[in-house]
Amino acid sequence: MTNSLDLPKAPADTRVVVAMSGGVDSSVTAAILKAEGYDVVGITLQLYDGGAQPRRAGACCAGQDIADARRTAEIIGIPHYVLDYEQRFRESVIDPFAASYLAGETPVPCIACNQTVKFRDLLATARDLGADALATGHYILSRPNGAHRSLHRPADLDRDQSYFLYGTTQEQLDFLRFPLGPLPKSETREIARLHGLEVAAKPDSQDICFVANGRYSDVIAKLRPEANEPGDIRHLDGRHLGRHDGIMGFTVGQRRGLGVASGEPLYVVAIEAATRTVRVGPREALATRRLALRDVNWLGDAPLAPGSGQEVFVKVRSTRPPAPAVLRMTPDGEVEVELSGAESGVSPGQACVVYDGEGAGARVFGGGVIARTSLTEALASVAA
């Protein structure tokens, strides 16, 4: 006989650590588990101190969030602890983010945060506290799968956070629980109201806790002053169009703020970090159909192996629905994705997440970081 978390214990004998960010989702997660009789312990991570710097509305981990998490814990009657993870966060998330950005990539820092600080370091702390599980307020499903658990898209696809959680390892997944996976957001807020939680109407976090004003470039300039080194802006056809003050001010797909005059609409199509060159071109140049992945995390039942290719669905952006693709591993062990339809503005550093379907409940097979696209390969061959 198992409890609602698929653990062979009575709820009262099951300790669950809940990662409490101070938002409505993690607060409701704690409230649901407490109401079901679990031994719940709330933990809030202090990840980044923005000081007196003004913050963008909706940014997570602001100073008020710790107070909100503490107040929620008081209302539902659970112990609550705040852990200083600032140094870990700096080393595992902020520094790699800056390095990736300077390499001309478009990194997704909240993926790294989930992979490291939250699901590696906090999970280890939860085990130290004698927990049987670590629960979070993410909108994603996990289900028993033989001796392990599998990861799936949630019921509320508008809130699907699988793109940010593909890097969860099998060992982590077996210990994690996601009580909000079956719920729509509207029901989550209603549960918060029923429990008298003051965060019931709190705006959603944007998962950019170390970017106070919403501008990545300001953070990069502070961490890596060399990012301000100027370089050329060149058309794909080789024309020199102008100069820029640093590649940190550009991302693939950007149209506004290029600082060059042209008779056609131009977009950033590639950033060549080695020469500090920003390549621009027409919108159609942004289209790509082939990706090469690195740092692949695979959650399928059978390991990836060289072969003819596996029909899957993939996401290359968190806001896009999964699209058909073919996944294959080359004889030398590299994972490639062939998209059925071209995707626009895909950049190295972004994630490509792999599914077995496209709807609610589709299984997450894992994914990886985009190392190259067909466009970056073509530019590299020209440069060579």
Side-chain angles (χ1 to χ4, degrees):
M1 192 72 173
T2 59
N3 56 35
S4 63
L5 297 180
D6 302 315
L7 295 168
K9 289 183 176 182
D13 299 323
T14 305
R15 173 165 288 184
V16 184
V17 166
V18 177
M20 299 182 68
S21 67
V24 63
D25 297 326
S26 59
S27 297
V28 168
T29 297
I32 288 174
L33 294 173
K34 176 63 176 178
E36 291 181 2
Y38 288 96
D39 176 13
V40 179
V41 177
I43 291 183
T44 300
L45 302 181
Q46 181 174 315
L47 300 178
Y48 186 79
D49 181 7
Q53 194 175 17
R55 302 192 64 85
R56 186 169 51 82
C60 75
C61 309
Q64 184 62 37
D65 290 341
I66 292 176
D68 288 341
R70 183 179 291 118
R71 177 60 179 152
T72 292
E74 291 174 354
I75 292 172
I76 64 178
I78 64 170
H80 175 255
Y81 303 95
V82 178
L83 303 182
D84 183 354
Y85 273 26
E86 285 193 36
Q87 183 63 33
R88 302 184 194 205
F89 186 70
R90 168 85 183 231
E91 294 172 352
S92 298
V93 180
I94 299 180
D95 288 344
F97 165 82
S100 178
Y101 214 98
L102 284 184
E105 298 183 336
T106 305
V108 187
C110 50
I111 292 177
C113 185
N114 288 325
Q115 288 175 316
T116 57
V117 175
K118 291 180 180 176
F119 291 170
R120 182 192 67 199
D121 299 339
L122 178 56
L123 191 146
T125 298
R127 291 189 188 276
D128 290 342
L129 291 173
D132 298 287
L134 171 64
T136 78
H138 289 101
Y139 285 87
I140 196 166
L141 289 165
S142 74
R143 297 171 178 167
N145 181 36
H148 296 288
R149 297 184 74 79
S150 54
L151 202 60
H152 301 261
R153 298 189 77 198
D156 188 344
L157 294 181
D158 290 336
R159 300 289 172 175
D160 178 19
Q161 291 175 294
S162 58
Y163 183 84
F164 303 104
L165 299 175
Y166 81 87
T168 306
T169 67
Q170 186 64 64
E171 180 183 8
Q172 293 167 348
L173 180 56
D174 291 343
F175 193 72
L176 287 161
R177 296 297 186 272
F178 307 103
L180 302 189
L183 304 180
K185 181 76 175 200
S186 58
E187 187 172 341
T188 298
R189 292 198 182 277
E190 180 59 26
I191 292 172
R193 284 189 285 270
L194 291 174
H195 282 275
L197 303 185
E198 297 169 3
V199 296
K202 187 174 181 177
D204 290 337
S205 163
Q206 300 300 314
D207 280 328
I208 317 175
C209 56
F210 61 95
V211 183
N213 58 13
R215 294 181 57 186
Y216 285 148
S217 58
D218 290 348
V219 176
I220 302 300
K222 182 178 179 180
L223 293 174
R224 299 291 186 89
E226 66 270 25
N228 285 317
E229 294 181 4
D232 292 331
I233 300 175
R234 290 187 176 275
H235 196 281
L236 283 175
D237 62 16
R239 283 179 290 151
H240 182 273
L241 299 180
R243 297 279 287 174
H244 63 77
D245 294 327
I247 61 173
M248 66 182 181
F250 301 88
T251 56
V252 171
Q254 176 181 335
R255 179 182 176 186
R256 298 182 182 276
L258 301 185
V260 296
S262 175
E264 61 175 327
L266 294 176
Y267 299 79
V268 176
V269 297
I271 298 172
E272 300 168 8
T275 59
R276 301 188 300 279
T277 300
V278 175
R279 294 281 180 181
V280 298
R283 182 178 179 84
E284 56 266 26
L286 289 169
T288 188
R289 296 191 64 158
R290 188 175 66 255
L291 313 171
L293 307 184
R294 69 170 192 262
D295 303 328
V296 173
N297 182 60
W298 187 247
L299 295 170
D301 294 330
L304 282 172
S308 58
Q310 178 179 350
E311 293 186 356
V312 295
F313 289 78
V314 301
K315 269 191 177 198
V316 293
R317 280 194 182 82
S318 63
T319 55
R320 299 262 184 98
V326 174
L327 180 76
R328 61 174 57 89
M329 177 182 282
T330 66
D332 60 3
E334 184 171 70
V335 175
E336 294 181 342
V337 175
E338 191 76 28
L339 304 169
S340 295
E343 287 280 354
S344 179
V346 180
S347 169
Q350 293 174 331
C352 176
V353 184
V354 184
Y355 306 83
D356 71 350
E358 56 185 325
R363 184 172 176 183
V364 183
F365 279 149
V369 177
I370 297 172
R372 300 187 311 279
T373 70
S374 50
L375 175 61
T376 57
E377 289 176 345
L379 289 173
S381 65
V382 170

